[in-house]
Amino acid sequence: MKNKLLVLLLGAAFSSLSFAAPIDLDMGQITTITGGETGDCALLGETVRIGLSANVRGVVECNTDDSVTAVATCHTAGRKIFNASITDPETGDVTPTNVTQGVIFTSSSLGGKIGVAEGNGCTDQTELQTAAAAAATPPAAADDGG
């Protein structure tokens, strides 16, 4: 699967919105995302362009409360059975899982490894929006019992 993903989502700005509307990326095209207070993503200091291969869907999420940007992508043809390390978005636990349908790849400005979540074969943007929102949400602070 060719999955060209440019994740140049850096910048600093502030906004009172928790999450801006998810930004759907165009399959097989370059999507321009504007930054600044009146742009698509207030966290971006300048305009960025994200190019996806043909038959690849994508969504960008801007969590301005936590200053996190994230992107989720998947291929419309899905994947054949393979073993993926599925990341739990709440705990960060990674579990090896045989994936037989679609798979969604996520990345965020929080850093770390590219995340993998099970998907529905990438038939629409709904699961991508959910995966991007989860990737743009910092893990809950561990309860230290005190």
Side-chain angles (χ1 to χ4, degrees):
M1 170 172 82
K2 282 185 163 181
N3 197 1
K4 294 182 180 179
L5 176 64
L6 303 174
V7 183
L8 301 172
L9 302 176
L10 301 172
F14 298 98
S15 173
S16 61
L17 298 174
S18 175
F19 280 91
I23 302 165
D24 292 336
L25 303 174
D26 296 323
M27 290 192 295
Q29 297 181 23
I30 294 175
T31 302
T32 300
I33 301 172
T34 57
E37 292 293 326
T38 59
D40 299 320
C41 181
L43 294 172
L44 300 177
E46 59 186 50
T47 297
V48 296
R49 290 164 191 76
I50 299 177
L52 297 180
S53 299
N55 299 318
V56 173
R57 291 186 186 275
V59 170
V60 172
E61 185 70 72
C62 293
N63 174 351
T64 55
D65 278 354
D66 296 311
S67 297
V68 180
T69 55
V71 64
T73 61
C74 61
H75 195 283
T76 58
R79 296 284 305 250
K80 296 186 187 233
I81 296 175
F82 76 105
N83 188 270
S85 298
I86 304 296
T87 304
D88 183 308
E90 292 188 19
T91 65
D93 293 340
V94 178
T95 306
T97 305
N98 283 330
V99 177
T100 58
Q101 294 183 0
V103 64
I104 297 170
F105 295 97
T106 61
S107 180
S108 82
S109 58
L110 291 171
K113 296 179 179 180
I114 298 291
V116 180
E118 288 189 75
N120 65 356
C122 200
T123 57
D124 61 31
Q125 299 295 92
T126 305
E127 286 190 7
L128 282 170
Q129 291 171 354
T130 300
T137 304
D143 182 8
D144 62 7

